[in-house]
């Protein structure tokens, strides 16, 4: 199962949108404190209101606590950062990958990035652009990881596929 980790997220709407992505993909959401909001805050729930009950959310007091609770994360993690030397398309994600994203104003802590330098990836963009929205970045990486693994557990076609099978009858 894919794991999305938000390290010190600040904007509740981003967290809510990422929670909705987790609900739609069956991914787990991990929040590393301090949070810039209360997870019971209406703004978080509003962004993913009808999906919130579908999301497995874990809150960790810090990165060390997350790694103590999930030691497997250290061997299968990817860090999303605008400072990375390579594009996310170069990564080979496992079905149980851990995708880490930093807070909106500062990204992931420098010591953490340096420790896992070879696991840092970025989304390519034009040079004047500072970064993409956190929720958009999380969705891009999550769906790339899922694509590489054949979209495990996800529906591959919508109701229009059924309509196509009825054509010619």
């Amino acid at each position: 199962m894919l794991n999305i980790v938000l390290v010190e997220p600040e904007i509740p709407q981003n967290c809510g949108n990422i929670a909705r992505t987790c609900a739609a993909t069956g991914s787990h959401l991990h929040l590393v404190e301090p949070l810039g909001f209360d997870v019971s805050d209406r703004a978080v729930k509003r962004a993913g209101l009808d999906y919130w009950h579908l999301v497995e959310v874990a809150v960790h007091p810090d990165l060390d606590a997350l790694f103590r609770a999930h030691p497997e994360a250290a061997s299968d993690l990817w860090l999303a950062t605008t400072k990375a030397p390579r594009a996310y398309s170069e990564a080979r994600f496992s079905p149980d990958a851990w995708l880490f994203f930093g807070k909106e104003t500062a990204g992931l802590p420098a010591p953490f990035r340096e420790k896992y330098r070879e696991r840092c990836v970025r989304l390519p963009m034009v040079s004047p652009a500072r970064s993409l929205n956190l929720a958009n970045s999380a969705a891009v990486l999550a769906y790339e990881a899922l694509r590489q693994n054949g979209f495990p557990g996800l529906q591959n076609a919508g109701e229009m596929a059924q309509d196509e099978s009825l054509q010619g009858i």
Side-chain angles (χ1 to χ4, degrees):
M1 174 141 330
L2 195 62
N3 294 276
I4 296 178
V5 181
L6 305 182
V7 179
E8 301 180 11
E10 300 166 315
I11 301 173
Q13 293 86 346
N14 281 336
C15 183
N17 285 318
I18 293 167
R20 188 175 181 131
T21 296
C22 288
T25 61
S27 301
H28 291 168
L29 178 60
H30 299 265
L31 304 175
V32 177
E33 296 177 325
L35 308 179
F37 49 86
D38 179 355
V39 290
S40 64
D41 190 17
R42 285 178 29 207
V44 172
K45 291 184 179 177
R46 182 176 25 241
L49 183 61
D50 54 342
Y51 289 84
W52 196 254
H53 68 283
L54 298 175
V55 183
E56 185 174 319
V57 180
V59 180
H60 306 276
D62 54 40
L63 280 170
D64 289 338
L66 180 142
F67 286 111
R68 279 193 305 276
H70 299 282
E72 71 279 10
S75 63
D76 196 11
L77 56 72
W78 294 94
L79 284 60
T81 173
T82 60
K83 296 154 184 66
R86 72 189 59 74
Y88 74 95
S89 56
E90 296 178 41
R92 293 298 161 247
F93 301 104
S94 80
D96 299 316
W98 290 72
L99 308 178
F100 284 77
F101 300 87
K103 62 180 159 183
E104 291 88 341
T105 58
L108 291 166
F112 184 57
R113 290 192 324 261
E114 284 305 317
K115 181 175 182 178
Y116 296 103
R117 179 183 263 285
E118 296 304 312
R119 306 294 279 189
C120 289
V121 294
R122 69 187 313 272
L123 279 76
M125 61 190 88
V126 298
S127 62
R130 189 177 72 246
S131 64
L132 287 173
N133 172 275
L134 181 62
N136 293 338
S137 297
V140 168
L141 261 63
Y143 270 92
E144 174 61 13
L146 293 164
R147 183 196 67 78
Q148 287 183 15
N149 290 285
F151 298 108
L154 303 183
Q155 293 179 327
N156 246 0
E159 66 184 48
M160 292 174 68
Q162 184 178 13
D163 294 344
E164 289 174 8
S165 68
L166 297 176
Q167 290 178 0
I169 292 181

